[in-house]
Amino acid sequence: MNKAKQYSKEKYILFFVGTVFTFLFLIIFQIFVSAPIKSIVILWTPNFYLIVILYALLFSVINYWAGFPLHFYETFFIEHKYGLSNQDLLAWTKDEIKKNIISGIIFLLFVLLFYYVLKSTGQYWWLILAFFWMLFTLFFSRIMPTVILPLFYKYSDVDDDQLKADISKLAKESGIKILDIFKINFSLKTKKANAAVIGIGKSRRVILADTLLANFSKQQILSVCAHEFGHHKRAHMPKLIVFSCVSTALSFYLLNVCLDRIVVLCNASSIYDIKIFPSFLLVLYVFSLIMMPIQNWFSRKLEVEADLFALLKTKDIGAFKGVMQKLGEMNLADVDPPKIFKYLFYSHPPISERIAFAEKHEKSS
Ligand SMILES: [Zn+2]
């Protein structure tokens, strides 16, 4: 088995192990840990919202450390094992601390908001909470490029003036108001290459990994940019945000349907009893697993649109195929995964499909 296949296989296995772990963790926490934690927390304060915060804090700390071996294996060990990481343990730990502070704050605020909305609004709490989630998603998308990303990467100018001029020309030909294009120092952490359109409104920009700029030819870089312009032109970011908000609303609705049953099953005093919080998470987790293939199907559809846009704008099938091959090699992608894995995990069509799509396009044009 080649290195890329082996790497992908390990990733698939890790996903299944992670899923089983999450199920077991939530169930065990619900049955054996939740009530004792609650009884400790209520000794500290009688205030409902303080109880919620303290419980959520303890829950997330225990959850993080219980899953730490798996998380470490997945994000540090395996990347080194396959020679994909440029990050030492200290740098990884620093990133890990930053990520946990950010996600911890978001988690605590959201749990607080969840109980506030659940308590103070009526039967449509799930819709109101989904509305808040949408506001948060918009806010986060807005600050992601300017506040969050700089915590992990440095922006710099694309230093090749000729390349910059060609990218601007391509943007104009694509009918796009010039979008800021930045290089980010991906190589600080990884040998993988990537590019993306991020942000909304004034923060929207194209980012190109320095690993991509260093290893790809000018025509290939233009092909990548054209793909990213396709995402922008076809409004893929707003579409993804709407998709995510609808699926969040559905997941809260599902939780709403299950609330009373959970109370009975867990012998809780009411739906506001913090000890049944792990069961709420379990319902949301199950829904997210059901949504995963649908979300990925939707994402793959948008990726095909962006690929088609790139092929039409650059008319450079060779460069497009070159990009795919190089991306596959640098990122150790499974170029031709089993169909079932594609449906479950792939937010982009597999490399072999993207190349076949380009060849089909070439024949028909
Ligand atoms: Zn894309």
Side-chain angles (χ1 to χ4, degrees), residues 195 227-228 231 302-303 306-307 348 354:
H227 172 98
E228 300 308 327
H231 281 310
L302 302 187
E303 291 302 330
D307 279 351
H348 290 59
R354 293 177 83 176

Side-chain angles (χ1 to χ4, degrees), residues 240-251:
L240 281 171
I241 291 178
V242 169
F243 186 95
S244 139
C245 290
V246 171
S247 100
T248 304
L250 280 174
S251 69

Side-chain angles (χ1 to χ4, degrees), residues 31-258:
I31 297 173
F32 300 107
V33 189
S34 195
I37 294 262
K38 180 192 152 189
S39 51
I40 294 170
V41 167
I42 54 176
L43 289 177
W44 294 341
T45 173
N47 181 291
F48 175 73
Y49 290 105
L50 279 178
I51 291 173
V52 165
I53 289 186
L54 289 170
Y55 178 96
L57 193 63
L58 287 173
F59 174 88
S60 42
V61 170
I62 296 169
N63 183 28
Y64 179 78
W65 287 108
F68 184 79
L70 194 61
H71 177 67
F72 180 77
Y73 186 83
E74 189 167 17
T75 57
F76 186 85
F77 186 82
I78 194 175
E79 296 297 298
H80 281 272
K81 182 175 163 189
Y82 286 91
L84 289 167
S85 179
N86 287 335
Q87 219 177 11
D88 62 17
L89 191 58
L90 184 67
W92 179 86
T93 308
K94 279 184 189 164
D95 271 5
E96 201 59 19
I97 292 169
K98 283 188 252 179
K99 276 184 215 162
N100 277 306
I101 290 174
I102 296 167
S103 59
I105 291 171
I106 294 171
F107 179 70
L108 289 185
L109 286 177
F110 206 75
V111 174
L112 210 53
L113 183 69
F114 168 80
Y115 278 100
Y116 178 74
V117 172
L118 190 66
K119 268 198 134 177
S120 52
T121 61
Q123 54 173 329
Y124 292 110
W125 69 267
W126 54 276
L127 206 53
I128 295 162
L129 195 64
F131 174 73
F132 278 116
W133 181 255
M134 184 188 73
L135 291 185
F136 169 74
T137 310
L138 291 175
F139 172 73
F140 194 78
S141 307
R142 182 72 178 74
I143 65 160
M144 215 283 270
T146 49
V147 180
I148 308 294
L149 198 71
L151 294 172
F152 299 95
Y153 295 100
K154 273 200 184 72
Y155 285 111
S156 55
D157 255 350
V158 174
D159 27 29
D160 181 338
D161 285 338
Q162 184 57 48
L163 177 65
K164 254 162 79 176
D166 288 337
I167 295 174
S168 298
K169 192 167 151 248
L170 180 71
K172 224 177 243 167
E173 285 167 6
S174 306
I176 287 171
K177 254 205 275 168
I178 187 67
L179 216 54
D180 276 335
I181 296 169
F182 291 102
K183 173 166 97 170
I184 62 163
N185 57 344
F186 231 51
S187 60
L188 191 69
K189 305 181 200 287
T190 180
K191 292 188 168 57
K192 291 178 178 173
N194 212 338
V197 193
I198 53 168
I200 53 168
K202 280 195 179 131
S203 74
R204 181 163 300 184
R205 61 195 62 187
V206 173
I207 50 168
L208 302 170
D210 57 352
T211 44
L212 186 123
L213 289 166
N215 290 289
F216 288 55
S217 73
K218 197 179 87 179
Q219 295 311 316
Q220 290 172 339
I221 294 167
L222 287 173
S223 181
V224 171
C225 288
H227 172 98
E228 300 308 327
F229 291 161
H231 281 310
H232 175 70
K233 188 78 182 165
R234 301 267 183 265
H236 287 170
M237 178 82 85
K239 283 177 187 167
L240 281 171
I241 291 178
V242 169
F243 186 95
S244 139
C245 290
V246 171
S247 100
T248 304
L250 280 174
S251 69
F252 292 152
Y253 176 74
L254 179 72
L255 180 58
N256 186 44
V257 172
C258 299

